[in-house]
């Protein structure tokens, strides 16, 4: 049931956004007339989800734009707990002033340097690809770094 409520709330939000975009916020009479002409109801509270979708579709045809900004994360959250710990410690290190750049690119460069070996001369190219042993070593290294500066 919660998903249905979320869907309905999304439709209601779109209608309010569309009303602003179509300059219907200040003209309650025109707004209510549009709702009535489309659904036979003057209030969104009394409409079914199908009625609400009809209003949204009409607003889109009239020029309203509804952009889903979605998840703002550039990269998905790491699946492995140890890798998430590396990210958390890197952020903590930044907050303590140990590093100047908290970005994923800066962490990736540090991971690459720290994981270089004879078998892997270029190091690990992405923190998400760390083995359990590598991530544990990096966690310990980050903990020691934090201890030195705090």
């Amino acid at each position: 049931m919660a998903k249905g409520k979320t869907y309905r709330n999304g439709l209601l939000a779109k209608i309010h956004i569309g009303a602003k975009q179509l300059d219907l916020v200040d003209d309650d009479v025109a707004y209510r007339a549009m709702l009535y002409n489309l659904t036979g109801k003057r209030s969104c509270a009394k409409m079914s989800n199908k009625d609400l979708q009809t209003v949204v579709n009409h607003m889109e045809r009239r020029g309203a734009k509804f952009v889903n900004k979605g998840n703002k994360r550039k990269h998905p959250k790491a699946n492995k707990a140890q890798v998430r710990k590396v990210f958390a410690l890197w952020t903590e290190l930044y907050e303590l002033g140990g590093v100047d750049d908290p970005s994923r690119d800066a962490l990736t460069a540090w991971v690459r340097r720290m994981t270089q070996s004879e078998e892997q001369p270029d190091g690990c190219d992405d923190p998400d690809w760390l083995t359990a042993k590598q991530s544990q070593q990096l966690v310990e290294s980050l903990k020691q770094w934090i201890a030195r500066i705090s």
Side-chain angles (χ1 to χ4, degrees):
M1 189 62 155
K3 187 173 184 178
K5 189 173 185 179
T6 302
Y7 176 72
R8 181 177 180 81
N9 288 341
L11 291 172
L12 290 168
K14 284 183 177 182
I15 289 171
H16 292 292
I17 291 167
K20 279 185 180 179
Q21 291 178 1
L22 299 174
D23 293 325
L24 295 172
V25 176
D26 295 330
D27 191 357
D28 192 53
V29 174
Y31 173 71
R32 301 281 173 201
M34 178 196 67
L35 295 179
Y36 186 77
N37 288 338
L38 293 169
T39 65
K41 298 168 186 139
R42 294 189 188 280
S43 171
C44 290
K46 296 177 182 173
M47 292 182 194
S48 67
N49 287 352
K50 185 177 178 184
D51 291 336
L52 294 172
Q53 187 63 57
T54 300
V55 174
V56 169
N57 292 342
H58 173 75
M59 288 179 153
E60 284 178 329
R61 286 192 302 273
R62 299 275 322 263
K65 303 268 191 238
F66 306 109
V67 179
N68 182 3
K69 297 196 176 155
N71 189 349
K72 300 216 186 244
R73 248 181 219 275
K74 184 176 177 181
H75 301 283
K77 188 175 178 181
N79 291 331
K80 300 177 202 167
Q82 283 292 102
V83 175
R84 288 195 303 270
K85 183 72 173 178
V86 169
F87 282 104
L89 289 171
W90 184 259
T91 302
E92 184 179 344
L93 189 59
Y94 168 73
E95 290 169 356
L96 291 171
V99 293
D100 296 330
D101 187 358
S103 71
R104 184 183 179 101
D105 292 336
L107 174 62
T108 300
W110 180 79
V111 166
R112 189 175 298 122
R113 283 192 308 274
M114 295 298 290
T115 57
Q116 287 176 340
S117 65
E118 287 182 18
E119 301 88 42
Q120 197 174 11
D122 293 333
C124 183
D125 286 334
D126 193 316
D128 291 322
W129 300 341
L130 292 168
T131 64
K133 182 179 177 185
Q134 287 174 323
S135 59
Q136 183 58 40
Q137 289 171 342
L138 294 178
V139 164
E140 292 307 317
S141 178
L142 287 166
K143 283 180 182 178
Q144 290 170 4
W145 192 354
I146 289 169
R148 281 193 306 269
I149 65 169
S150 58

